[in-house]
Amino acid sequence: CNLAGANPGSVSYHFGGKEQLYLATAEYLARHIRSQLHQEIGDIEHQLDTDPQVEHRDLLRRLIHALVHDILQGELSADAAGFIFREQLQPTGAFDILYRELMAPMQRTFRRLLTGALGIAISEQELKLTTHALMGQILVFRFGQSTILRMLDANHFTASDINEVAVLITNNTLAAIDARRLQDH
């Protein structure tokens, strides 16, 4: 309220209280981040739905690059990261919103691509765990940003750094897929 120059009573008037403001913040973050990724995810989903011959590995590469760019340099990435991380550690009603509106759609698309790229049947449990592990590679660069920037002796990620991270994570992901496929042969 101080930063906005607003009366603290306006929180209750507009949102119904602090908790509702917090939930509205979660809704805003989820909608905003998802809208930034909507075009890419929508296009990927459309290709999966309409082209049975689509190359899942190429689409997975596109999704990883979009996620890395948005998570590391998106308009709200710095503000959203702390909020989302706090909800991961101590979930409130805001986590339900973030999961439903943001995390679940990204995970669903990633799982579809992973299933197609693997080309083998795996259990739903293994698919979910693998998706989480592979997507976690992206998130560690956001949540551990201070550490990696210190190691790089830098103050921020450059466009080159972000592209390098995207390529690294893509290569790790494709190598994990190839290794898992070899287990079945």
Side-chain angles (χ1 to χ4, degrees):
C1 288
N2 288 342
L3 289 174
N7 182 326
S10 64
V11 170
S12 292
Y13 177 76
H14 290 288
F15 297 99
K18 290 179 187 177
E19 184 176 340
Q20 288 80 8
L21 173 60
Y22 189 75
L23 295 175
T25 301
E27 288 176 11
Y28 173 78
L29 288 175
R31 263 195 327 269
H32 186 79
I33 295 168
R34 191 168 174 195
S35 73
Q36 290 179 310
L37 294 167
H38 178 73
Q39 181 67 38
E40 193 68 40
I41 290 175
D43 185 45
I44 289 169
E45 288 285 343
H46 178 74
Q47 287 186 327
L48 289 170
D49 292 340
T50 60
D51 184 359
Q53 302 301 320
V54 69
E55 178 52 56
H56 289 82
R57 293 169 73 97
D58 290 341
L59 293 180
L60 190 55
R61 183 177 287 109
R62 279 180 52 194
L63 180 60
I64 291 169
H65 280 257
L67 290 172
V68 167
H69 284 270
D70 186 68
I71 289 170
L72 295 185
Q73 70 179 17
E75 183 181 334
L76 294 177
S77 65
D79 295 329
F83 190 98
I84 293 169
F85 189 59
R86 187 171 36 258
E87 283 300 316
Q88 289 285 333
L89 294 175
Q90 298 176 333
T92 69
F95 177 80
D96 296 332
I97 294 166
L98 293 168
Y99 185 80
R100 180 183 66 245
E101 299 296 325
L102 180 62
M103 297 170 194
M106 284 191 287
Q107 289 175 336
R108 187 173 37 255
T109 301
F110 202 98
R111 278 196 313 270
R112 284 185 74 187
L113 293 171
L114 184 57
T115 299
L118 278 168
I120 57 173
I122 62 173
S123 73
E124 188 66 19
Q125 173 86 357
E126 183 180 357
L127 181 60
K128 288 177 179 178
L129 292 174
T130 303
T131 296
H132 191 74
L134 295 175
M135 287 185 75
Q137 296 176 97
I138 300 168
L139 298 175
V140 77
F141 279 92
R142 176 73 241 171
F143 295 126
Q145 182 171 328
S146 295
T147 301
I148 188 63
L149 288 175
R150 178 75 54 93
M151 288 180 5
L152 295 173
D153 197 28
N155 295 324
H156 64 279
F157 288 121
T158 65
S160 176
D161 294 335
I162 291 170
N163 285 329
E164 193 171 345
V165 168
V167 169
L168 173 68
I169 291 171
T170 299
N171 291 343
N172 287 346
T173 299
L174 296 177
I177 289 169
D178 293 341
R180 179 58 183 90
R181 288 175 68 185
L182 286 175
Q183 286 178 349
D184 275 21
H185 289 101

